[in-house]
C-alpha cells in the first residue's frame, strides 16, 4: 500500500512528505532503503550536466535543492544537489526503481548512507531510476518536486 501511494504521489508531483502524512502511522521516506543502483560515486566527472526540469525547490533563505543529470561512459545519471548549504545540512536523492517500484535513497559517495554531507549525492543511472527528487535535511526533511526522469 505504501509503495503504491508513494508511486502515485510522485506521478502527481505532490511531495512524498505530504502523501505520507495521509497514512497511519506515517513512515517517512527518509527511512527508505539506501541504494544507488549502478551508481556514479562522483558526478563531477559527468559531462552534459544540467538541472532536471521541474526539480528545483527552496529549502531556506538563499538555499535550494535540485536534481542534476549528466552522462558518463555512455550512461545518464541523476544526483541531488544542495546550493548554499551549511555545515550540518544533508542532501539525498529519492528515486523510484523501474523494476520494482520501490522508493530508495541515494546519498553518500561510498554508498553507505542515504544522506550526503557534501553538497551533492552520488548519481543513479537511468537504467534503474525513472522518478527522482532531491531531499534536504537540517532540523526536518524537506522534499523538492518529483518528476519522471528519462
Amino acid at each position: 500500500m505504501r509503495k503504491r501511494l508513494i508511486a502515485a504521489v510522485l506521478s502527481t508531483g505532490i511531495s512524498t512528505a505530504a502523501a505520507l502524512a495521509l497514512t497511519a502511522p506515517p513512515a517517512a521516506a527518509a527511512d527508505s532503503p539506501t541504494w544507488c543502483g549502478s551508481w556514479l560515486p562522483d558526478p563531477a566527472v559527468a559531462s552534459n550536466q544540467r538541472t532536471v526540469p521541474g526539480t528545483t525547490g527552496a529549502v531556506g533563505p538563499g538555499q535550494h535543492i535540485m536534481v542534476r543529470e549528466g552522462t558518463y561512459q555512455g550512461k545518464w545519471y541523476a544526483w541531488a544537489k544542495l546550493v548554499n548549504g551549511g555545515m550540518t545540512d544533508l542532501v539525498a536523492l529519492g528515486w523510484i526503481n523501474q523494476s520494482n517500484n520501490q522508493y530508495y535513497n541515494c546519498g553518500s559517495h561510498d554508498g553507505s548512507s542515504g544522506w550526503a554531507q557534501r553538497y551533492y549525492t552520488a548519481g543513479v543511472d537511468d537504467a534503474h531510476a525513472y522518478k527522482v527528487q532531491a531531499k534536504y535535511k537540517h532540523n526536518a526533511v524537506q522534499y523538492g518536486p518529483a518528476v519522471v526522469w528519462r
Side-chain angles (χ1 to χ4, degrees):
M1 173 65 180
R2 181 175 153 249
K3 290 178 190 175
R4 280 188 238 139
L5 175 62
I6 291 171
V9 167
L10 287 177
S11 69
T12 65
I14 299 171
S15 80
T16 305
L20 291 174
L22 302 175
T23 63
D31 296 330
S32 295
T34 295
W35 184 46
C36 298
S38 292
W39 53 283
L40 179 62
D42 185 5
V45 301
S47 54
N48 304 311
Q49 291 190 25
R50 60 184 173 240
T51 300
V52 175
T55 62
T56 301
V59 293
Q63 295 179 312
H64 56 279
I65 53 175
M66 66 188 72
V67 176
R68 300 277 295 165
E69 68 179 351
T71 57
Y72 182 71
Q73 295 185 346
K75 286 185 176 181
W76 280 95
Y77 291 88
W79 59 92
K81 181 176 180 177
L82 169 63
V83 177
N84 296 326
M87 295 298 291
T88 59
D89 295 333
L90 301 173
V91 64
L93 178 72
W95 61 281
I96 295 197
N97 189 316
Q98 290 190 51
S99 64
N100 65 6
N101 285 331
Q102 174 72 39
Y103 188 93
Y104 292 99
N105 289 322
C106 182
S108 65
H109 300 264
D110 64 3
S112 66
S113 170
W115 294 98
Q117 291 182 316
R118 296 195 220 178
Y119 297 129
Y120 59 94
T121 68
V124 177
D125 69 322
D126 66 341
H128 286 90
Y130 78 94
K131 292 182 182 173
V132 293
Q133 75 181 145
K135 299 174 6 179
Y136 166 82
K137 184 176 183 181
H138 184 74
N139 293 329
V141 177
Q142 296 179 50
Y143 297 83
V147 300
V148 172
W149 178 59
R150 299 250 129 232

